[in-house]
Amino acid sequence: MIVYFDAIRRAGSVREAARRLNVASSAVNRQLLKLEAELGTPLFERLPAGLKLTHAGAAFARHALEVLQDAERVRSELEALQGLRTGHIEIGAVEALVSELLPDLLAEFRLHYPRITVGVNVMGSSAIPGALTGGEVDLGIAFGLDRSTELQQLGVATFALGVVMRPDHPLAQQAELSLSACLAFPLILPKSDLSIFRILNGLVGNMPQGIVQTNSVELAKQLTLRGFGLSFQTRVGIEREIIAGDLIHIPIRRPKPITTDLGFYVRTAKSAPVGVHALVDLFAVQRNGTTEPLLSSHTT
């Protein structure tokens, strides 16, 4: 019915709308009358010169235009995913993802959807909500974002937060640690724009002075490798070093386990490109069978 209404609005008459749609005039008029009956108000004034939108019709026309534009956008993106046309998605992601998780995910995504291009913007967790609401990115991937009515969470994976150290560190033989046990050693600490800072600060009240404070997860990793001190993060971003035996990740579990959520977010007020949903679904498949909890897609 919306298609017929919009055709009548554009043509200015039922007969011309029917001609453009290549259907019978009676069918178009029947759909218009049905729509007006459902809405309980006339949408057009019937004038000798043709049809003119009523106030209600003008309001409905704005809604109809949004619906038709969204339908066309989705159709175009579905075609892009089917390889019929190209598409593009912009991602805002935290730095911890760029070592392995995101490259692995994008490599797999390209195998499935070779004609979809991707833009990646590396930024802190605190900057991602603004990038989403401002339209700079289509998908935000970040740790520990506060829930907001402006953002919709498409999926989430939970990771244990732990202490990262070299294998020759005095604490390296521990199976688990308390945060207080770490405070006696030199620390490499996150700056306030990282989600890990908020978690640690909430546990100790006021963060101690570290020998280095940085908002770069990569720099914290490199300093830890060089024996500067202990750093704090999940296993994401240091998987290769753990497998090689260069770093050890010990979960913080005293007095209780500490976890952080890696969330996949889109702007609530805007329909996400279909490619975004495909990327999130692909990550869910990749997580299956790992030691970390599987991402749960399309939650709100």
Side-chain angles (χ1 to χ4, degrees), residues 44-234:
F44 293 97
E45 293 181 42
R46 276 70 172 175
L47 303 174
L51 299 179
K52 178 182 177 182
L53 286 171
T54 62
H55 289 301
F60 187 78
R62 291 190 291 272
H63 166 72
L65 185 60
E66 290 180 2
V67 170
L68 293 173
Q69 286 176 340
D70 281 347
E72 172 59 25
R73 179 189 55 75
V74 170
R75 184 192 65 80
S76 177
E77 289 166 359
L78 285 171
E79 288 180 349
L81 289 177
Q82 294 165 358
L84 301 177
R85 297 166 70 175
T86 60
H88 183 80
I89 57 175
E90 282 289 324
I91 299 172
V94 292
E95 186 190 18
L97 308 181
V98 303
S99 294
E100 291 206 29
L101 190 151
L102 197 54
D104 289 347
L105 179 59
L106 292 180
E108 187 71 15
F109 184 76
R110 182 165 177 78
L111 288 176
H112 288 80
Y113 311 110
R115 301 185 69 185
I116 305 295
T117 59
V118 179
V120 179
N121 309 271
V122 179
M123 56 185 68
S125 290
S126 60
I128 285 179
L132 282 167
T133 56
E136 299 169 38
V137 299
D138 302 304
L139 173 68
I141 313 175
F143 286 102
L145 284 193
D146 293 332
R147 301 301 293 270
S148 166
T149 57
E150 295 183 313
L151 302 181
Q152 178 188 0
Q153 188 184 76
L154 294 185
V156 62
T158 301
F159 295 87
L161 185 65
V163 188
V164 183
M165 65 192 74
R166 288 182 10 163
D168 58 357
H169 193 277
L171 296 177
Q173 302 306 313
Q174 302 296 316
E176 59 185 43
L177 285 167
S178 67
L179 187 57
S180 59
C182 302
L183 302 182
F185 296 90
L187 303 177
I188 303 162
L189 294 176
K191 286 202 167 186
S192 59
D193 54 336
L194 295 183
S195 62
I196 298 174
F197 174 89
R198 297 193 297 272
I199 295 172
L200 296 178
N201 196 52
L203 293 172
V204 300
N206 289 304
M207 291 288 287
Q209 186 71 26
I211 58 170
V212 176
Q213 297 86 39
T214 178
N215 62 359
S216 170
V217 175
E218 178 63 25
L219 178 58
K221 180 176 74 174
Q222 294 299 330
L223 293 176
T224 306
L225 284 166
R226 288 161 174 77
F228 271 59
L230 304 173
S231 59
F232 301 89
Q233 68 174 88
T234 69

Side-chain angles (χ1 to χ4, degrees), residues 266-293:
V266 294
R267 182 182 174 188
T268 303
K270 179 183 178 182
S271 297
V274 177
V276 165
H277 294 280
L279 190 69
V280 175
D281 289 342
L282 191 59
F283 178 69
V285 172
Q286 280 194 347
R287 298 302 299 166
N288 192 20
T290 67
T291 56
E292 297 287 357

